Amino acid sequence: MSDPILSKHDAPETTRGLILMFHGGKDRSKEDVDGRSLSWKRSLAMQRSIAPAAHEDDLSVWLLRYRQRGWNGGRDRIADARWALDQVRSEHPGVPITLLGHSMGARVAVHVADDPQVRGVVGLAPWLPGGESIDALAGRDLVVAHGRRDRITSFKATAAYVERARTVASSAEMHDMGPVGHYMLKGSAAWNAVALSASLGVLTD
């Protein structure tokens, strides 16, 4: 099994905040995440697109590549995310963090949002099934975006999760991306824009 890997686009000078990205995956898979992973590649493309604008605000953008593709009950993917947060803490102690996750990555993010440096979560086409925990979002911001033609994750389940999250989160809002699907290919510029603006909003609240 491979170790987790971080792709780092650090701000040229001082890092005053950091966007930590988590890519998507599968419900169950023990396959290693390698450089051919489409889920990882989609998030890598987004990282490269949003990093220059993030750097203008002295924000770094890091992307975690998990050890395995599957959620597999969550424990190992959550451990990967905790490892990544420890790396941020080591290199950029005390800086505020936004967790930016696509699909399964958003599910990972809502479980580790209780990290003391995390200000909130931005979820894109998130996988947030009924009954998913909201506990780690206490006192954090949550922003999600979902398309109405998503056939992989549920727009309605996301809306229901946001409503539940409002009972504990500092704020919780949902953006309707319109008639687009799950993989952020159609309307990629709009996905990139909401990812960046929401992440900046969480960090500057």
Side-chain angles (χ1 to χ4, degrees):
M1 184 188 302
S2 300
D3 291 330
I5 295 172
L6 283 163
S7 300
K8 303 175 185 179
H9 283 258
D10 278 319
E13 297 180 7
T14 301
T15 292
R16 69 171 187 87
L18 191 139
I19 302 169
L20 179 57
M21 300 179 65
F22 300 147
H23 63 83
K26 299 180 178 181
D27 185 6
R28 298 207 168 269
S29 174
K30 295 290 188 179
E31 290 182 53
D32 288 356
V33 180
D34 59 25
R36 297 170 296 175
S37 165
L38 294 180
S39 295
W40 174 72
K41 283 183 173 181
R42 275 188 290 273
S43 289
L44 185 67
M46 176 174 283
Q47 180 193 29
R48 290 170 174 166
S49 293
I50 69 174
H55 289 171
E56 292 177 7
D57 285 306
D58 297 323
L59 305 179
S60 295
V61 187
W62 290 14
L63 169 62
L64 171 66
R65 192 166 94 188
Y66 316 119
R67 289 171 293 162
Q68 295 180 338
R69 295 174 186 266
W71 172 251
N72 303 333
R75 183 182 65 181
D76 291 340
R77 300 297 73 76
I78 291 168
D80 289 346
R82 297 282 189 198
W83 172 87
L85 285 162
D86 285 343
Q87 305 310 302
V88 176
R89 200 170 350 270
S90 176
E91 294 192 30
H92 301 292
V95 302
I97 300 167
T98 294
L99 303 178
L100 172 60
H102 173 240
S103 191
M104 186 183 80
R107 191 175 188 181
V108 173
V110 300
H111 282 270
V112 299
D114 55 355
D115 184 275
Q117 285 185 227
V118 170
R119 293 280 184 87
V121 171
V122 177
L124 308 175
W127 177 28
L128 297 169
E132 194 66 30
S133 176
I134 59 173
D135 294 347
L137 290 168
R140 307 302 197 263
D141 294 326
L142 174 67
V143 183
V144 300
H146 216 132
R148 289 187 174 268
R149 290 187 179 170
D150 195 324
R151 300 294 180 264
I152 305 300
T153 57
S154 168
F155 183 98
K156 289 183 178 179
T158 294
Y161 184 89
V162 170
E163 285 299 314
R164 289 197 299 117
R166 289 190 174 118
T167 64
V168 299
S170 295
S171 66
E173 60 182 90
M174 180 170 178
H175 295 274
D176 184 343
M177 298 297 288
V180 296
H182 184 71
Y183 295 112
M184 304 188 299
L185 299 175
K186 182 178 180 181
S188 60
W191 285 107
N192 290 341
V194 74
L196 180 62
S197 64
S199 296
L200 290 174
V202 168
L203 287 171
T204 57
D205 276 352

